[in-house]
Short mmCIF file of all heavy atoms in Angstrom, two decimals:
data_model
loop_
_atom_site.label_atom_id
_atom_site.label_comp_id
_atom_site.label_asym_id
_atom_site.label_seq_id
_atom_site.Cartn_x
_atom_site.Cartn_y
_atom_site.Cartn_z
N LEU B 211 23.41 29.89 36.63
CA LEU B 211 24.45 29.19 35.90
C LEU B 211 24.48 29.65 34.44
O LEU B 211 25.54 29.79 33.84
CB LEU B 211 24.17 27.69 35.98
CG LEU B 211 25.33 26.76 35.69
CD1 LEU B 211 26.43 26.96 36.70
CD2 LEU B 211 24.85 25.33 35.70
N ILE B 214 26.65 32.58 32.83
CA ILE B 214 28.05 32.46 32.44
C ILE B 214 28.19 32.46 30.93
O ILE B 214 29.13 33.03 30.39
CB ILE B 214 28.65 31.18 33.04
CG1 ILE B 214 28.66 31.27 34.55
CG2 ILE B 214 30.06 30.95 32.52
CD1 ILE B 214 29.24 30.09 35.22
N PHE B 250 32.67 32.07 41.08
CA PHE B 250 31.50 32.09 41.94
C PHE B 250 30.70 30.79 41.78
O PHE B 250 30.33 30.14 42.75
CB PHE B 250 30.65 33.32 41.57
CG PHE B 250 29.35 33.40 42.28
CD1 PHE B 250 29.30 33.78 43.61
CD2 PHE B 250 28.17 33.11 41.62
CE1 PHE B 250 28.09 33.85 44.27
CE2 PHE B 250 26.97 33.18 42.27
CZ PHE B 250 26.93 33.54 43.60
N CYS B 251 30.45 30.41 40.54
CA CYS B 251 29.65 29.20 40.29
C CYS B 251 30.40 27.95 40.69
O CYS B 251 29.81 26.95 41.09
CB CYS B 251 29.30 29.10 38.80
SG CYS B 251 27.96 30.17 38.37
N TRP B 252 31.71 28.00 40.60
CA TRP B 252 32.53 26.85 40.94
C TRP B 252 32.49 26.59 42.44
O TRP B 252 32.32 25.46 42.89
CB TRP B 252 33.95 27.15 40.45
CG TRP B 252 35.01 26.21 40.87
CD1 TRP B 252 34.94 24.84 40.89
CD2 TRP B 252 36.32 26.55 41.31
NE1 TRP B 252 36.13 24.32 41.30
CE2 TRP B 252 37.00 25.34 41.57
CE3 TRP B 252 36.99 27.75 41.49
CZ2 TRP B 252 38.31 25.31 42.02
CZ3 TRP B 252 38.30 27.72 41.93
CH2 TRP B 252 38.94 26.51 42.19
N LEU B 253 32.56 27.68 43.22
CA LEU B 253 32.62 27.51 44.67
C LEU B 253 31.25 27.35 45.30
O LEU B 253 31.09 26.62 46.27
CB LEU B 253 33.36 28.69 45.30
CG LEU B 253 34.82 28.81 44.83
CD1 LEU B 253 35.47 30.05 45.40
CD2 LEU B 253 35.61 27.56 45.21
N LEU B 254 30.24 28.03 44.74
CA LEU B 254 28.92 28.02 45.39
C LEU B 254 27.94 27.03 44.77
O LEU B 254 26.90 26.74 45.35
CB LEU B 254 28.31 29.42 45.38
CG LEU B 254 29.08 30.45 46.20
CD1 LEU B 254 28.38 31.78 46.16
CD2 LEU B 254 29.25 29.98 47.64
N VAL B 255 28.24 26.54 43.57
CA VAL B 255 27.40 25.56 42.87
C VAL B 255 25.93 25.95 42.85
O VAL B 255 25.10 25.30 43.49
CB VAL B 255 27.55 24.15 43.49
CG1 VAL B 255 27.09 23.09 42.50
CG2 VAL B 255 28.98 23.88 43.87
N PRO B 256 25.55 27.02 42.15
CA PRO B 256 24.14 27.39 42.06
C PRO B 256 23.39 26.39 41.17
O PRO B 256 24.00 25.73 40.33
CB PRO B 256 24.18 28.77 41.40
CG PRO B 256 25.43 28.76 40.60
CD PRO B 256 26.40 27.88 41.33
N ALA B 257 22.08 26.32 41.36
CA ALA B 257 21.28 25.39 40.55
C ALA B 257 21.01 26.01 39.19
O ALA B 257 20.80 27.22 39.09
CB ALA B 257 19.97 25.10 41.26
N PRO B 258 21.01 25.21 38.14
CA PRO B 258 20.70 25.76 36.82
C PRO B 258 19.23 26.10 36.69
O PRO B 258 18.38 25.48 37.33
CB PRO B 258 21.10 24.63 35.87
CG PRO B 258 21.04 23.39 36.69
CD PRO B 258 21.38 23.79 38.08
N PRO B 261 17.26 22.85 34.18
CA PRO B 261 18.00 21.65 34.57
C PRO B 261 17.99 20.55 33.52
O PRO B 261 18.79 19.62 33.58
CB PRO B 261 17.29 21.21 35.85
CG PRO B 261 15.97 21.85 35.81
CD PRO B 261 16.11 23.11 35.03
N PHE B 264 21.07 22.13 31.11
CA PHE B 264 22.38 22.53 31.63
C PHE B 264 22.60 21.98 33.03
O PHE B 264 21.64 21.69 33.75
CB PHE B 264 22.51 24.06 31.65
CG PHE B 264 22.35 24.67 30.30
CD1 PHE B 264 21.16 25.28 29.93
CD2 PHE B 264 23.37 24.58 29.37
CE1 PHE B 264 21.02 25.81 28.67
CE2 PHE B 264 23.23 25.10 28.11
CZ PHE B 264 22.05 25.73 27.76
N GLY B 265 23.85 21.86 33.39
CA GLY B 265 24.17 21.39 34.73
C GLY B 265 25.64 21.63 34.96
O GLY B 265 26.40 21.81 34.01
N ASN B 266 26.05 21.66 36.23
CA ASN B 266 27.48 21.85 36.45
C ASN B 266 28.15 20.56 36.86
O ASN B 266 28.32 20.27 38.02
CB ASN B 266 27.77 22.97 37.45
CG ASN B 266 26.79 22.98 38.59
OD1 ASN B 266 25.98 22.05 38.69
ND2 ASN B 266 26.88 23.97 39.44
N SER B 267 28.50 19.78 35.86
CA SER B 267 29.27 18.57 36.13
C SER B 267 30.70 19.01 36.44
O SER B 267 31.15 20.03 35.94
CB SER B 267 29.26 17.67 34.90
OG SER B 267 29.98 18.27 33.86
N PRO B 268 31.42 18.24 37.29
CA PRO B 268 32.78 18.65 37.64
C PRO B 268 33.69 18.78 36.41
O PRO B 268 34.49 19.71 36.33
CB PRO B 268 33.27 17.55 38.58
CG PRO B 268 32.19 16.55 38.68
CD PRO B 268 30.97 17.07 38.04
N ALA B 269 33.53 17.87 35.43
CA ALA B 269 34.39 17.95 34.24
C ALA B 269 34.14 19.26 33.49
O ALA B 269 35.07 19.94 33.06
CB ALA B 269 34.11 16.77 33.32
N GLY B 270 32.84 19.62 33.38
CA GLY B 270 32.51 20.85 32.68
C GLY B 270 33.06 22.06 33.39
O GLY B 270 33.61 22.97 32.77
N ILE B 271 32.93 22.07 34.74
CA ILE B 271 33.43 23.21 35.50
C ILE B 271 34.94 23.34 35.35
O ILE B 271 35.48 24.44 35.22
CB ILE B 271 33.06 23.04 37.00
CG1 ILE B 271 31.56 23.25 37.18
CG2 ILE B 271 33.83 23.97 37.88
CD1 ILE B 271 31.12 24.68 37.09
N LEU B 272 35.63 22.21 35.31
CA LEU B 272 37.08 22.23 35.15
C LEU B 272 37.45 22.90 33.82
O LEU B 272 38.30 23.80 33.76
CB LEU B 272 37.61 20.80 35.19
CG LEU B 272 39.11 20.65 35.32
CD1 LEU B 272 39.57 21.16 36.66
CD2 LEU B 272 39.51 19.19 35.16
N LEU B 274 35.60 24.84 32.06
CA LEU B 274 35.16 26.24 32.10
C LEU B 274 36.18 27.12 32.83
O LEU B 274 36.51 28.22 32.38
CB LEU B 274 33.80 26.32 32.81
CG LEU B 274 33.16 27.70 32.84
CD1 LEU B 274 32.77 28.11 31.44
CD2 LEU B 274 31.96 27.71 33.74
N ALA B 318 30.70 23.82 27.92
CA ALA B 318 31.20 23.28 29.18
C ALA B 318 30.06 22.99 30.15
O ALA B 318 30.14 22.07 30.95
CB ALA B 318 32.19 24.26 29.81
N LEU B 319 28.98 23.78 30.07
CA LEU B 319 27.89 23.62 31.04
C LEU B 319 26.75 22.76 30.54
O LEU B 319 25.82 22.46 31.29
CB LEU B 319 27.35 25.00 31.44
CG LEU B 319 28.33 25.88 32.20
CD1 LEU B 319 27.77 27.27 32.38
CD2 LEU B 319 28.66 25.26 33.54
N ALA B 320 26.80 22.36 29.25
CA ALA B 320 25.67 21.60 28.70
C ALA B 320 25.57 20.24 29.35
O ALA B 320 26.58 19.58 29.62
CB ALA B 320 25.85 21.45 27.20
N ASP B 321 24.35 19.80 29.61
CA ASP B 321 24.14 18.49 30.18
C ASP B 321 23.34 17.60 29.22
O ASP B 321 23.36 16.39 29.30
CB ASP B 321 23.41 18.60 31.53
CG ASP B 321 23.56 17.33 32.35
OD1 ASP B 321 24.54 16.60 32.12
OD2 ASP B 321 22.70 17.08 33.20
N SER B 390 23.67 13.38 33.11
CA SER B 390 23.65 12.94 34.49
C SER B 390 22.61 11.84 34.70
O SER B 390 22.86 10.87 35.42
CB SER B 390 23.41 14.13 35.43
OG SER B 390 22.56 15.06 34.84
N LYS B 457 32.49 12.82 28.09
CA LYS B 457 31.19 12.53 28.71
C LYS B 457 30.62 11.21 28.21
O LYS B 457 30.03 10.45 28.98
CB LYS B 457 30.22 13.68 28.41
CG LYS B 457 30.54 14.89 29.26
CD LYS B 457 29.43 15.91 29.24
CE LYS B 457 29.63 16.88 30.37
NZ LYS B 457 28.68 17.98 30.35
#
Side-chain angles (χ1 to χ4, degrees):
Chain B
L211 199 62
I214 296 181
F250 174 75
C251 281
W252 171 44
L253 298 176
L254 295 182
V255 200
F264 300 103
N266 39 8
S267 68
I271 288 286
L272 192 66
L274 184 67
L319 294 172
D321 198 24
S390 34
K457 285 194 165 174

